[in-house]
Amino acid sequence: MKLKELKAITDAIPISSLSTEQAKELQTALNRLDRFSGEIDGSVGQSTKDAWEEFKTYALLAKPEMIDPISVDALQSELDIMVPE
């Protein structure tokens, strides 16, 4: 899975500010990594926030409420390793 929508993020933003398409892509990526089991609906609810926080803690990245190019790159790297195309 190649992240497209999330790669458009150029600065740190709260994950609650993601567009619907970006949120769906985040949920799908986290689901493929077995970190999110909720509905892929493009809504950044508590289960999406919890899954993102879990991923950022695992990846040793700070500020779990934020998403930025560094964390998107870390997510892409994990996808490339764990879910090869």
Side-chain angles (χ1 to χ4, degrees):
M1 171 180 187
K2 294 297 179 194
L3 301 174
K4 295 176 185 143
E5 298 294 327
L6 295 174
K7 286 288 191 174
I9 296 171
T10 59
D11 209 358
I13 61 169
I15 66 165
S16 59
S17 296
L18 293 176
S19 71
T20 300
E21 291 307 311
Q22 288 171 326
K24 283 181 182 179
E25 188 173 73
L26 178 63
Q27 291 168 333
T28 300
L30 292 169
N31 179 271
R32 289 190 180 181
L33 295 172
D34 291 326
R35 296 191 181 279
F36 177 75
S37 60
E39 184 178 345
I40 297 172
D41 59 4
S43 176
V44 180
Q46 194 59 49
S47 58
T48 303
K49 290 176 184 176
D50 290 346
W52 182 241
E53 180 177 355
E54 179 183 318
F55 172 76
K56 286 193 78 174
T57 299
Y58 163 80
L60 302 175
L61 298 168
K63 298 184 180 180
E65 71 283 357
M66 303 296 282
I67 190 166
D68 60 18
I70 293 170
S71 56
V72 171
D73 287 346
L75 182 60
Q76 183 65 69
S77 293
E78 190 70 12
L79 285 166
D80 291 346
I81 293 166
M82 301 301 289
V83 190
E85 289 190 39

